[in-house]
Amino acid sequence: MRCKQFIIVSLAGVVLAASLAGCGGAAPASSVAASSVASSVVASSAVAEAALPDGVYTADFETDSSMFHTSEACNGKGTLTVENGVMTFHVSLASKKIVNLYPGLAADAEANKTAWLIPTVDTVTYADGTTEEVYGYDIPVEALDTDFQLALLGTKGKWYDHIVSVRNAEPKTEQAAETPADGAYTAAVVLEGGSGRATVESPAALTVADGKMTATIVWSSPNYDYMIVDGEKYLPTNTEGNSTFEIPVAALGTPLAVTADTVAMSKPHEIEYTLTFTLE
């Protein structure tokens, strides 16, 4: 109803202004000011409606150049973070050849060095498991699905103008959690399945090497003689104490189906479990 009233009032204003102009008069300053205020209100409303709720999203990064794009490991996507209504987009580029970015025109970059975007060093993992260090950037985003100017500085010291956009934002779920960079971590482990009497130590040691995750699982019993993960059999890494295994972890935040064989009963018995890992 408010929209209809606004349109009627706006039309009335246009007719009045046209009548005054046709009579050789000028629209009063108050009318011009009112029109300007109304336009500002409409623009502000549009921005408010387009804003995303605070949270973390995945989104596409589109540019006007085949030489300026995300790493192939990222499939054209980056991470959009919305905090207190302010949007920041993190993108991992294809190399370290873009040494700075500037949110604006190349001609203005040198006069605004404090606004230059400083790169981070990101480790990306390709489909074949190989990794590479590339430059990443946190880019301020005023509006989604809208082109904006973003200048880049190459290794030869020259700025170039480009037009980019951040599009198709979707909530980032735990299932889509990325593999962390190579290193040693601890992860909370949730065990489900079986009779409920067995447990595993949590947190567990988690190692990432060449983009692949391996967890050390310590059972509450010394009677497990092997585990099966994704069709592969894994034997204990110890001979004394509770059964300990090193197993691959496909993804964080996603239940991993495993089979553990116990000899605690009258005869060996395979039991189905799931393990879910979350970085601490």
Side-chain angles (χ1 to χ4, degrees), residues 97 99 153-158 160:
K97 294 182 179 180
V99 297
L153 180 65
T155 54
K156 295 183 179 180
K158 183 177 179 179
Y160 298 89

PDB file of all heavy atoms in Angstrom, residues 97 99 153-158 160:
ATOM      1  N   LYS A  97      51.342 -13.302  -8.744  1.00  0.00           N
ATOM      2  CA  LYS A  97      51.728 -12.256  -9.688  1.00  0.00           C
ATOM      3  C   LYS A  97      50.942 -10.968  -9.525  1.00  0.00           C
ATOM      4  O   LYS A  97      51.300  -9.944 -10.100  1.00  0.00           O
ATOM      5  CB  LYS A  97      51.590 -12.783 -11.120  1.00  0.00           C
ATOM      6  CG  LYS A  97      52.574 -13.903 -11.444  1.00  0.00           C
ATOM      7  CD  LYS A  97      52.452 -14.359 -12.884  1.00  0.00           C
ATOM      8  CE  LYS A  97      53.469 -15.456 -13.191  1.00  0.00           C
ATOM      9  NZ  LYS A  97      53.364 -15.925 -14.598  1.00  0.00           N
ATOM     10  N   VAL A  99      50.260  -8.301  -6.919  1.00  0.00           N
ATOM     11  CA  VAL A  99      50.868  -7.999  -5.626  1.00  0.00           C
ATOM     12  C   VAL A  99      50.047  -7.042  -4.763  1.00  0.00           C
ATOM     13  O   VAL A  99      50.300  -6.924  -3.560  1.00  0.00           O
ATOM     14  CB  VAL A  99      52.295  -7.443  -5.820  1.00  0.00           C
ATOM     15  CG1 VAL A  99      53.179  -8.495  -6.461  1.00  0.00           C
ATOM     16  CG2 VAL A  99      52.284  -6.184  -6.681  1.00  0.00           C
ATOM     17  N   LEU A 153      47.713  -4.358  -9.202  1.00  0.00           N
ATOM     18  CA  LEU A 153      49.113  -4.014  -9.410  1.00  0.00           C
ATOM     19  C   LEU A 153      49.888  -5.286  -9.693  1.00  0.00           C
ATOM     20  O   LEU A 153      49.901  -6.217  -8.885  1.00  0.00           O
ATOM     21  CB  LEU A 153      49.680  -3.320  -8.170  1.00  0.00           C
ATOM     22  CG  LEU A 153      51.155  -2.899  -8.229  1.00  0.00           C
ATOM     23  CD1 LEU A 153      51.369  -1.829  -9.285  1.00  0.00           C
ATOM     24  CD2 LEU A 153      51.623  -2.411  -6.857  1.00  0.00           C
ATOM     25  N   GLY A 154      50.532  -5.323 -10.879  1.00  0.00           N
ATOM     26  CA  GLY A 154      51.301  -6.493 -11.258  1.00  0.00           C
ATOM     27  C   GLY A 154      52.736  -6.418 -10.766  1.00  0.00           C
ATOM     28  O   GLY A 154      53.164  -5.438 -10.150  1.00  0.00           O
ATOM     29  N   THR A 155      53.496  -7.464 -11.044  1.00  0.00           N
ATOM     30  CA  THR A 155      54.877  -7.542 -10.574  1.00  0.00           C
ATOM     31  C   THR A 155      55.777  -6.510 -11.255  1.00  0.00           C
ATOM     32  O   THR A 155      56.864  -6.215 -10.753  1.00  0.00           O
ATOM     33  CB  THR A 155      55.440  -8.949 -10.835  1.00  0.00           C
ATOM     34  OG1 THR A 155      55.263  -9.286 -12.225  1.00  0.00           O
ATOM     35  CG2 THR A 155      54.720  -9.991  -9.981  1.00  0.00           C
ATOM     36  N   LYS A 156      55.335  -5.930 -12.366  1.00  0.00           N
ATOM     37  CA  LYS A 156      56.138  -4.924 -13.070  1.00  0.00           C
ATOM     38  C   LYS A 156      55.852  -3.511 -12.582  1.00  0.00           C
ATOM     39  O   LYS A 156      56.355  -2.534 -13.132  1.00  0.00           O
ATOM     40  CB  LYS A 156      55.904  -5.034 -14.582  1.00  0.00           C
ATOM     41  CG  LYS A 156      56.398  -6.352 -15.171  1.00  0.00           C
ATOM     42  CD  LYS A 156      56.223  -6.391 -16.678  1.00  0.00           C
ATOM     43  CE  LYS A 156      56.751  -7.707 -17.263  1.00  0.00           C
ATOM     44  NZ  LYS A 156      56.587  -7.758 -18.745  1.00  0.00           N
ATOM     45  N   GLY A 157      54.998  -3.387 -11.554  1.00  0.00           N
ATOM     46  CA  GLY A 157      54.759  -2.083 -10.965  1.00  0.00           C
ATOM     47  C   GLY A 157      53.735  -1.224 -11.685  1.00  0.00           C
ATOM     48  O   GLY A 157      53.668  -0.014 -11.436  1.00  0.00           O
ATOM     49  N   LYS A 158      52.912  -1.808 -12.531  1.00  0.00           N
ATOM     50  CA  LYS A 158      51.900  -1.041 -13.253  1.00  0.00           C
ATOM     51  C   LYS A 158      50.503  -1.443 -12.788  1.00  0.00           C
ATOM     52  O   LYS A 158      50.220  -2.621 -12.572  1.00  0.00           O
ATOM     53  CB  LYS A 158      52.024  -1.291 -14.758  1.00  0.00           C
ATOM     54  CG  LYS A 158      51.042  -0.472 -15.595  1.00  0.00           C
ATOM     55  CD  LYS A 158      51.255  -0.688 -17.086  1.00  0.00           C
ATOM     56  CE  LYS A 158      50.250   0.135 -17.892  1.00  0.00           C
ATOM     57  NZ  LYS A 158      50.446  -0.048 -19.363  1.00  0.00           N
ATOM     58  N   TYR A 160      46.396  -1.760 -13.335  1.00  0.00           N
ATOM     59  CA  TYR A 160      45.464  -2.046 -14.423  1.00  0.00           C
ATOM     60  C   TYR A 160      44.033  -1.981 -13.900  1.00  0.00           C
ATOM     61  O   TYR A 160      43.729  -2.463 -12.805  1.00  0.00           O
ATOM     62  CB  TYR A 160      45.709  -3.446 -15.008  1.00  0.00           C
ATOM     63  CG  TYR A 160      47.081  -3.621 -15.631  1.00  0.00           C
ATOM     64  CD1 TYR A 160      48.157  -4.050 -14.856  1.00  0.00           C
ATOM     65  CD2 TYR A 160      47.295  -3.378 -16.984  1.00  0.00           C
ATOM     66  CE1 TYR A 160      49.423  -4.216 -15.406  1.00  0.00           C
ATOM     67  CE2 TYR A 160      48.548  -3.545 -17.562  1.00  0.00           C
ATOM     68  CZ  TYR A 160      49.609  -3.961 -16.759  1.00  0.00           C
ATOM     69  OH  TYR A 160      50.851  -4.126 -17.324  1.00  0.00           O
TER      70      TYR A 160
END
